Amino acid sequence: MTMQSTWRVLAPGPSDRVLLTVDFGPGRREAGFSDLVANLAPEPVVWEPVFAPQTADPVTGTDPHGCVSRWLDDVRNAGLEVCGVLGYCAGGALARQTGDLLRTRGMPEPPVVLLDPSHVDGDLIQELFATSVQGYAELLSEDQIRAALAAAAGFTGALGSNIGTQAPAELAEAMRSLQALYDGVVQTVCDMLDADEEVSRGFSERFAAFLSYLVTAGRASAARGGSATVIVSGNHHLPDGFGVEKHRLPVSRAALLADPAVARIVAEALR
């Protein structure tokens, strides 16, 4: 089974051009591309991919080239032309790969804008796992959270700095272990709230999709031939491979995509 993606339409047009935004989408406290689009009021259609959970093997179907190829096939089949690509956080490498693939297909390479791009490695996956688990801090004890994070570190610590070089079987085992840990946390919370199985299954499937997204982004290369407009928030550390920051704004990461100044910079970059 390959990774399937449908699309979330953030702006309907009217236009035969499409602006692609690459992020995992809504569901966290940080501002998302819907906030940025609200400030942009763009003429083009704006699409954001929606990632679905994998099968029991969380690595099969996470080839970034295949993923981006399907996106561009969808765009072509819809009769649209890509006029820009935006990538946030882990989506930065996939945004760059989208621009690369358009160029290798002999199509015009659109502007690429990266916002707080992050390299997906073991440390980032641990950080994001911690954020997910700590979202239940009002219901779980400090000891329960500490135990979950310590167990996760045993798996993420072995992933190293380059997920793309990990053997698929070892990478899949680490992702399955993280999924099992998260499922245990969710089940504990659902039992406390007397929530039914459908609720816990929904949280579990979303986390599975998130892990597949991170693996796909982690297997993508940040380096590419062309340039990109790189925008970072005040305290963000720009990893190697994403170029040089062109704009550093004194805003928090959580508010970056909702900041009007960011929207103005993005609009200028897309001209």
Side-chain angles (χ1 to χ4, degrees), residues 74-192:
D74 286 349
V75 168
R76 180 195 60 207
N77 292 337
L80 298 171
E81 177 184 346
V82 179
C83 65
V85 187
L86 311 182
Y88 175 66
C89 192
L94 290 170
R96 301 199 81 159
Q97 188 148 352
T98 302
D100 269 350
L101 188 54
L102 283 164
R103 175 165 43 83
T104 59
R105 287 186 174 188
M107 303 170 70
E109 187 175 2
V112 175
V113 182
L114 308 179
L115 300 108
D116 267 6
S118 295
H119 176 64
V120 180
D121 55 13
D123 288 343
L124 182 65
I125 293 177
Q126 176 70 18
E127 177 186 332
L128 295 174
F129 180 88
T131 299
S132 298
V133 172
Q134 288 165 350
Y136 303 110
E138 293 184 1
L139 297 167
L140 299 176
S141 69
E142 291 184 6
D143 286 344
Q144 287 174 309
I145 292 175
R146 192 180 302 113
L149 299 189
F155 305 118
T156 59
L159 293 177
S161 61
N162 191 344
I163 288 178
T165 63
Q166 289 286 329
E170 295 175 1
L171 184 56
E173 181 59 31
M175 295 302 105
R176 279 194 293 266
S177 298
L178 287 174
Q179 181 73 53
L181 280 173
Y182 182 80
D183 288 350
V185 169
V186 167
Q187 190 59 58
T188 298
V189 170
C190 286
D191 288 345
M192 294 172 66

Side-chain angles (χ1 to χ4, degrees), residues 34-42 257-261 263-264:
S34 59
D35 300 285
L36 176 63
V37 168
N39 287 326
L40 278 177
L257 295 186
D259 191 275
R264 290 193 292 270

Side-chain angles (χ1 to χ4, degrees), residues 51-53 60 66-67 69 73-74 100 139 163 172 184 202 208 229 234 237 250 263-264:
F51 290 85
T60 298
C67 179
S69 293
D73 289 344
D74 286 349
D100 269 350
L139 297 167
I163 288 178
T229 298
H237 170 69
R264 290 193 292 270

Side-chain angles (χ1 to χ4, degrees), residues 55-77:
T55 60
D57 179 359
V59 174
T60 298
T62 59
D63 169 55
H65 182 273
C67 179
V68 171
S69 293
R70 289 190 294 275
W71 294 351
L72 296 185
D73 289 344
D74 286 349
V75 168
R76 180 195 60 207
N77 292 337

